[in-house]
Amino acid sequence: MSVGERLPTNSSMWSQSSLLGKDLNLHSMSSIKNCKDNMRRRFNDEQIRSLEHMFETEARPELRTKQQLAKSLGLQPRQVAIWFQNKRARSKSKQLDMEYRMLKISYDNLGSKYEMLKKENESLLIQLQRLRKLTEKGGNEEIQNEGNKLDTEVIKSEFIPETCSPEFGLPLCEDSREIDYMGPESDILNMAQIADGLSEIENECNFESRTFLDDSDCRSPLWEF
DNA sequence: TTGTGTTTTATTGCCTCC
DNA sequence: GGAGGCAATAAAACACAA
């Protein structure tokens, strides 16, 4: 039997149990203890459908509405009030669960984005070092050749346009293609600026991600989810 | 059939609002 | 001070694997 399928509720049980809560005051518990153990029945599909439908339009219905609904479903007003209370609790916990999932997905995405940027930064730094060495040795022709070679390497590498974002202080890749070409030396300058920027970002990211992970510490119940 | 985990209904205690 | 909301919890009903 699936969750949706319920055994039919014996409604006469409830009509017999009219002593259960004459009003909606959930705390007036006279005579409840005497019969609570043999009175509990799950609501039938029709009752659940109506309650769900009402909940969709109004999660906190007024007293009169609950009373009318109870009458039409053959339930005690108190049962309807309790059902709405429990439903709100379930709904809230579902909502929290969903929010957690969304946050986790976006955190994971951010993590992989950071790893990509980190790798890209490393490769750019290596290239920068090579170029610096070459400029120390001098030789415009050599720089020119190396510059062309590096252009090709950068294109070949795992450089993904979306990873270059202004939010990280980087020019968008398409824009960078439009920058006036100032010769190999300006290329080196640009790359140096980019690399320096990325190093700063890396330092910040290392710090932030560390503190984030430290806070969560992987022992939080949320992480065991 | 039975043990175990999950869902649903109900209770209790505390809090806030009027 | 009463009414009603919420969080925590109990307990019945149910699902399901072994």
Side-chain angles (χ1 to χ4, degrees), chain A residues 56-73:
Chain A
E56 278 172 25
T57 57
E58 180 60 68
R60 247 187 234 103
E62 287 179 7
L63 175 67
R64 186 173 290 275
T65 314
K66 281 186 272 193
Q67 282 172 333
Q68 281 171 351
L69 191 60
K71 198 173 178 183
S72 73
L73 295 175

Side-chain angles (χ1 to χ4, degrees), chain A residues 168-187:
Chain A
F168 290 113
L170 292 172
L172 285 170
C173 294
E174 283 180 4
D175 293 342
S176 71
R177 299 275 180 270
E178 291 168 13
I179 292 172
D180 286 341
Y181 189 70
M182 304 288 283
E185 286 182 11
S186 77
D187 265 2

Side-chain angles (χ1 to χ4, degrees), chain A residues 31-186:
Chain A
S31 307
I32 286 168
K33 295 252 177 190
N34 300 337
C35 53
K36 72 167 189 180
D37 286 345
N38 56 358
M39 291 295 183
R40 186 180 292 194
R41 292 287 182 277
R42 291 205 171 188
F43 301 159
N44 65 32
D45 288 350
E46 176 62 29
Q47 289 167 329
I48 295 291
R49 259 199 302 276
S50 297
L51 288 164
E52 296 271 9
H53 184 258
M54 176 62 76
F55 185 80
E56 278 172 25
T57 57
E58 180 60 68
R60 247 187 234 103
E62 287 179 7
L63 175 67
R64 186 173 290 275
T65 314
K66 281 186 272 193
Q67 282 172 333
Q68 281 171 351
L69 191 60
K71 198 173 178 183
S72 73
L73 295 175
L75 294 169
Q76 294 301 314
R78 189 173 161 273
Q79 288 180 287
V80 172
I82 289 169
W83 187 90
F84 272 91
Q85 214 166 79
N86 288 326
K87 181 69 181 174
R88 285 194 294 270
R90 285 195 294 269
S91 179
K92 186 180 176 182
S93 121
K94 235 179 193 173
Q95 176 78 22
L96 283 172
D97 187 64
M98 231 160 71
E99 280 173 20
Y100 166 72
R101 283 168 192 266
M102 299 296 282
L103 278 173
K104 190 170 185 309
I105 287 169
S106 100
Y107 171 74
D108 290 343
N109 285 342
L110 203 60
S112 50
K113 210 169 181 177
Y114 165 71
E115 286 302 325
M116 279 193 337
L117 281 173
K118 196 175 156 189
K119 279 180 189 166
E120 184 191 320
N121 183 33
E122 281 163 7
S123 85
L124 285 172
L125 282 173
I126 289 167
Q127 289 173 16
L128 180 66
Q129 274 181 345
R130 279 162 60 183
L131 283 172
R132 275 183 177 152
K133 277 180 191 168
L134 281 171
T135 51
E136 280 167 13
K137 286 177 188 171
N140 275 341
E141 193 184 335
E142 217 173 335
I143 293 169
Q144 177 76 53
N145 290 338
E146 190 65 24
N148 290 340
K149 191 178 151 193
L150 283 173
D151 275 350
T152 319
E153 282 177 7
V154 168
I155 291 164
K156 275 184 193 168
S157 70
E158 299 172 354
F159 195 79
I160 297 165
E162 300 97 86
T163 62
C164 300
S165 110
E167 61 194 294
F168 290 113
L170 292 172
L172 285 170
C173 294
E174 283 180 4
D175 293 342
S176 71
R177 299 275 180 270
E178 291 168 13
I179 292 172
D180 286 341
Y181 189 70
M182 304 288 283
E185 286 182 11
S186 77

